Amino acid sequence: MPEIEPELEKMYRECVRRLYSIAPSFQKVGVLGYHPGLETMSDFSAYLGDPHKSLTAVHIAGTNGKGSVAHMLASALASAYPGERIGLYTSPHLVDFRERIKLVSSATGEVGEHFSMIGKREVLDFMHRAGSFIEERTPSFFEITTAMAFDYFNRENVRVAVIETGLGGRLDSTNIIVPRLSVITSIGIDHKDVLGDTIEQIASEKAGIIKPGVPVVVGDVPDSAYDVIRTRAEQCGSRLYRAGELCDECVGAVVAASEADLHAACQEKNIRTVLTALRVLGLETVSKDSEVYEAIIHAAAITGLRGRWERLSSRPEVICDIGHNVEAVSVSMCQLAKEAGGRHIIMVYGMAGDKDVESVCCLLPDEAEYIMTQASGSRAMPAERLVEIAGKRYSVAVPDVGQAVRLAMSKASADDVVFIGGSSYVVAEVLEKWPEIMGNKKVKK
């Protein structure tokens, strides 16, 4: 007899609570939640019947841009294969755990949401079937979710699975797959405690996703990183393509970026990477009047992607963005200055303590008003400490994210800009609490 919905919801919430308790996530505890190496993941997949071996996959790594590229690529592929579904596995989630594992289908009629998250029953079923392995081998949170994604995509018979790495590449849990295409979006300094503290070391870890004979598309990377990636590709006998190499229409990426519902300035580079990847996968030229082009520029709506230069209201203008390392923040702060156009800026900002906080803070505008905050979890830097490090003149500490945003909204005039960022976990809390934060207050979107 089927469970009634309230009972299903109760069982699902308890299941997720238990999952977090038995396998704390990197999202919450940082490096303590990271299990490098592929042995446990390989054994886990074998326990489930090796579902990853039945998948046609695209594997995506990179310091920045891999989430946006994954979502745009999934949206484009869904449009290119009408009537079929594309699997999409990304991390971290912002509001709902199930955001990590989605099915994307072709957009027909008006543009809107054409995705579904893994069902709550499917999560419960997987945890029941995998229970013995989890109890005996204690895989990490990310290993469990990766196995869940591979198992789900195989059961749903997806046409293509777009798989984003969690951290790095070479030792990432997703790296047991042999994809049809590997993509490396960018290389920058991040996660130094795990991946190394030089561009070359990090590039080597990301290039670890390259498999023998599997083509590779590489986005905008420093020359030293490209040399590392090229060497790895040559060793594997893999054809290497730079973003824009195969497609004359990539000159249209500028137009696409200006129309896209993913608004960040970096999207032009990401779109070039997506267009090149589509050509390597055998799709024809993507013209401006094609359905695939429409799928790319409406990727956020089609796939449900959030937190990438997302506007929550217009008066005051409230923007949230998950960029949190030097390269991403540099781009977002340039865009913020341009779009603010001299208007007063109120920053609600919080960072993880394991980031290059001092370097990031040097990129933040001096004349803005700051409300420093901290997301829940042990990784978050205390708001008071962030005030000290940032050294901004107009700065207060409000540790609770919801209270910090409420304070910003109470201070903001209709013409001001409120920027929320510094950490995907700060943005996640804001998105989850936004209706509660605003209460009955009317804001224009």
Side-chain angles (χ1 to χ4, degrees), residues 97-407:
F97 163 78
R98 297 177 301 138
E99 292 170 29
R100 294 168 178 260
I101 304 171
K102 295 177 180 176
L103 299 177
V104 183
S105 52
S106 59
T108 56
E110 293 185 7
V111 172
E113 294 180 351
H114 295 270
F115 73 94
S116 61
M117 298 183 289
I118 183 173
K120 295 176 181 179
R121 292 184 189 277
E122 284 75 16
V123 174
L124 289 167
D125 173 68
F126 175 84
M127 292 299 291
H128 175 73
R129 287 185 288 111
S132 296
F133 184 91
I134 292 172
E135 182 176 352
E136 180 180 346
R137 296 290 296 275
T138 61
S140 70
F141 179 91
F142 190 70
E143 285 169 332
I144 294 172
T145 60
T146 300
M148 187 184 299
F150 292 165
D151 180 77
Y152 181 63
F153 295 155
N154 181 54
R155 287 172 176 268
E156 293 294 325
N157 195 30
V158 299
R159 174 66 181 261
V160 181
V162 178
I163 307 295
E164 178 193 23
T165 61
L167 183 62
R170 181 176 65 93
L171 300 177
D172 188 78
S173 301
T174 62
N175 205 30
I176 63 171
I177 62 173
V178 178
R180 184 174 167 187
L181 171 67
S182 302
V183 179
I184 300 173
T185 59
S186 67
I187 301 292
I189 300 295
D190 201 6
H191 298 296
K192 293 191 292 185
D193 53 343
V194 176
L195 303 180
D197 54 11
T198 71
I199 287 291
E200 293 78 11
Q201 289 172 331
I202 293 171
S204 180
E205 290 299 314
K206 306 285 187 185
I209 70 168
I210 299 174
K211 303 296 193 307
V214 175
V216 189
V217 171
V218 60
D220 185 33
V221 302
D223 289 342
S224 59
Y226 182 76
D227 290 341
V228 172
I229 296 168
R230 181 179 58 193
T231 298
R232 168 69 178 175
E234 289 173 350
Q235 292 170 346
C236 290
S238 300
R239 176 67 188 275
L240 180 63
Y241 301 88
R242 300 204 80 156
E245 180 178 334
L246 287 180
C247 43
D248 293 338
E249 79 279 4
C250 284
V251 297
V254 178
V255 176
S258 69
E259 297 178 347
D261 59 5
L262 289 172
H263 299 289
C266 61
Q267 297 305 343
E268 179 187 335
K269 296 177 180 178
N270 291 335
I271 290 171
R272 290 180 188 274
T273 301
V274 170
L275 291 171
T276 307
L278 291 171
R279 289 301 301 274
V280 175
L281 289 170
L283 272 71
E284 297 300 321
T285 299
V286 180
S287 62
K288 193 174 185 300
D289 58 353
S290 69
E291 291 184 0
V292 174
Y293 179 92
E294 288 293 313
I296 292 171
I297 66 173
H298 295 296
I302 290 170
T303 64
L305 178 61
R306 304 194 66 185
R308 275 70 169 179
W309 204 262
E310 181 176 350
R311 286 182 173 84
L312 299 179
S313 78
S314 60
R315 292 181 63 81
E317 187 169 13
V318 180
I319 298 168
C320 63
D321 188 80
I322 65 170
H324 55 266
N325 53 46
V326 170
E327 287 78 8
V329 173
S330 177
V331 172
S332 62
M333 289 304 102
C334 288
Q335 184 171 357
L336 178 61
K338 180 180 179 180
E339 295 197 11
R343 290 179 290 166
H344 180 57
I345 300 172
I346 301 174
M347 304 281 289
V348 179
Y349 218 73
M351 294 191 67
D354 54 6
K355 300 298 181 183
D356 188 355
V357 177
E358 292 185 2
S359 295
V360 167
C361 286
C362 288
L363 299 171
L364 304 180
D366 289 329
E367 298 305 315
E369 182 177 355
Y370 286 85
I371 303 171
M372 300 302 190
T373 190
Q374 64 193 73
S376 59
S378 60
R379 288 183 68 197
M381 171 165 284
E384 294 83 358
R385 178 61 180 148
L386 189 54
V387 168
E388 295 174 3
I389 294 176
K392 304 299 181 182
R393 286 183 294 171
Y394 313 108
S395 187
V396 297
V398 181
D400 181 86
V401 171
Q403 292 179 9
V405 176
R406 288 188 187 93
L407 177 59

Side-chain angles (χ1 to χ4, degrees), residues 313 315-316 318 405-414 418 434-444:
S313 78
R315 292 181 63 81
V318 180
V405 176
R406 288 188 187 93
L407 177 59
M409 297 301 289
S410 70
K411 287 174 170 285
S413 72
V418 177
W434 184 247
E436 174 190 338
I437 288 170
M438 297 314 301
N440 295 321
K441 183 177 179 181
K442 300 295 184 182
V443 296
K444 292 185 178 181

